[in-house]
Amino acid sequence: MPWMGLCHCDTPKISPLVFPIRSHVPHKPSSCAHHRMTETLQLNSTFLHPTFFILTGFPGLGSAQTWLTLAFGPIYLLALLGNGALLAVVWIDSTLHQPMFLLLAMPAATDLGLATSIAPGLLAVLWLGPRSVPYAVCLVQMFFVHALTAMESGVLLAMASDCAVAIGCPLHYPVLVTKAHVGYAALALALKAVAIVVPFPLLVAKFEHFQAKTIGHTYRAHMAVVELVVGNTRVNNLYGLALSLAISGMDILGITGSYGLIAHAVLQLPTREACAKAFGTCSSHICVILAFYIPGLFSYLTHHFGHHTVPKPVHILLSNIYLLLPPALNLLIYGAHTKQIRNQLLDTFTFRKSPL
């Protein structure tokens, strides 16, 4: 380096997180060269108001991550076609304009948006290599990823409540669950998701200095960006943790309570056939809950408690599976367990003639 011959004493190690640029530690008169070197290194190690970030995908895999497109490409295609077909069938068939099927359309729309907010950028990084993304686009994607995830969790709670009412109070179901009530629930869930997630990009936007422009991830998650911040990020960390525990924890408790009521109602039915039919009503919803929360819980635990033992590529892989796999399974689960949707899909996409 050009400054190595300016002083005969050992060069101190400079942390890339030192901020602000001008140190307040008093310097000896003979340390002018060290002072100039310190300023140079700090200028090179922090970025003021970055205009873009660079996504690298899976750290350490290099060009080998291209092969992951063979897995994530079909998953996204299945999510796109499956949820699109489910929404189209509910929209086209007027007999499906009922609260039950409108509730099924809510997770389909949410999953379609969630998969689309992640998968195109993910596939571009995997196939084409590291990509530069404008800073504003990072904040927008951060908002949609977290808002749609919160929306998904709330929709699963609404569907569990619907099952509890349908099995526990079947006579009151037409009065308690109407199309208007479903619309109000969807609006409330959307407003809640927006209100609780808006602070994420705002908390990140207030930071001015970043230690790097490279994000070792496949999408712009909140914590992936916060890790690059130069400054005190305690508020971001606490808000993210509190939000995860409050939203997911409350929704899981609500779902557990709903299925407790369902189990109590089912066990009071007189015959096994009635019990099997009641549980069959909720089977598709149970499959979606397991597909959403199990990978999500595992990803959360590895991120907060196993980051020293679980390799980062494994954590990134789990976070992508958590967000992309449930949307891909929607059509398979609902199509297999909901007779009306299955028949309408066959009529629509195989051009099966209705009997005269």
Side-chain angles (χ1 to χ4, degrees):
M1 294 183 183
W3 58 72
M4 293 302 292
L6 296 177
C7 184
H8 297 290
C9 55
D10 293 335
T11 302
K13 294 182 179 180
I14 305 301
S15 171
L17 296 180
V18 176
F19 179 78
I21 292 175
R22 295 189 180 274
S23 176
H24 296 288
V25 179
H27 295 275
K28 296 180 180 180
S30 60
S31 61
C32 294
H34 286 174
H35 181 61
R36 288 194 298 270
M37 180 186 66
T38 300
E39 289 186 340
T40 303
L41 287 178
Q42 290 170 346
L43 283 170
N44 291 333
S45 62
T46 61
F47 300 91
L48 181 63
H49 292 299
T51 57
F52 66 91
F53 282 110
I54 299 175
L55 289 176
T56 62
F58 293 84
L61 295 185
S63 59
Q65 66 182 0
T66 303
W67 294 100
L68 291 175
T69 56
L70 299 178
F72 287 111
I75 288 176
Y76 176 55
L77 184 62
L78 185 59
L80 196 64
L81 296 178
N83 291 288
L86 187 60
L87 289 172
V89 164
V90 174
W91 177 270
I92 293 172
D93 190 354
S94 59
T95 63
L96 299 181
H97 294 177
Q98 303 174 23
M100 172 185 174
F101 301 105
L102 295 178
L103 280 171
L104 295 183
M106 287 170 58
T110 304
D111 286 338
L112 187 62
L114 183 60
T116 302
S117 67
I118 295 174
L122 165 66
L123 296 175
V125 171
L126 295 180
W127 186 255
L128 302 175
R131 309 287 294 172
S132 62
V133 181
Y135 181 59
V137 175
C138 289
L139 298 180
V140 170
Q141 187 189 43
M142 181 189 305
F143 167 78
F144 277 105
V145 168
H146 293 289
L148 291 171
T149 303
M151 181 77 178
E152 175 81 5
S153 182
V155 168
L156 293 178
L157 174 59
M159 295 178 69
S161 302
D162 173 74
C163 289
V165 174
I167 295 175
C169 307
L171 298 179
H172 297 86
Y173 184 85
V175 178
L176 296 176
V177 183
T178 64
K179 290 191 289 186
H181 291 166
V182 172
Y184 294 147
L187 179 60
L189 291 174
L191 292 177
K192 183 196 75 170
V194 170
I196 63 178
V197 174
V198 161
F200 274 144
L202 295 181
L203 288 173
V204 173
K206 72 184 181 69
F207 293 108
E208 297 182 349
H209 288 79
F210 294 80
Q211 57 179 302
K213 294 182 179 181
T214 301
I215 301 177
H217 212 292
T218 55
Y219 61 90
R220 278 75 67 185
H222 173 248
M223 292 310 300
V225 178
V226 169
E227 289 176 354
L228 305 180
V229 169
V230 176
N232 187 352
T233 61
R234 179 176 298 179
V235 174
N236 298 69
N237 296 331
L238 291 178
Y239 185 77
L241 180 61
L243 191 62
S244 299
L245 294 176
I247 299 304
S248 298
M250 294 299 293
D251 290 344
I252 291 174
L253 287 177
I255 292 172
T256 304
S258 297
Y259 274 95
L261 296 175
I262 291 172
H264 177 72
V266 169
L267 293 177
Q268 293 181 341
L269 295 177
T271 63
R272 292 184 178 180
E273 290 76 9
C275 293
K277 183 178 180 180
F279 275 122
T281 304
C282 303
S283 59
S284 58
H285 182 241
I286 293 174
C287 292
V288 174
I289 290 174
L290 295 177
F292 180 76
Y293 280 112
I294 289 179
L297 180 62
F298 195 64
S299 175
Y300 175 83
L301 292 176
T302 56
H303 178 76
H304 288 278
F305 304 106
H307 56 278
H308 294 299
T309 57
V310 179
K312 190 171 184 179
V314 175
H315 170 68
I316 296 175
L317 180 65
L318 289 173
S319 64
N320 282 277
I321 291 176
Y322 156 58
L323 295 176
L324 292 177
L325 185 60
L329 298 177
N330 269 354
L331 182 63
L332 299 178
I333 293 173
Y334 293 131
H337 291 86
T338 309
K339 181 179 179 180
Q340 295 93 327
I341 291 179
R342 183 171 64 250
N343 291 338
Q344 184 59 36
L345 284 171
L346 291 174
D347 291 339
T348 302
F349 296 102
T350 62
F351 303 100
R352 189 176 64 183
K353 294 183 179 181
S354 302
L356 297 176

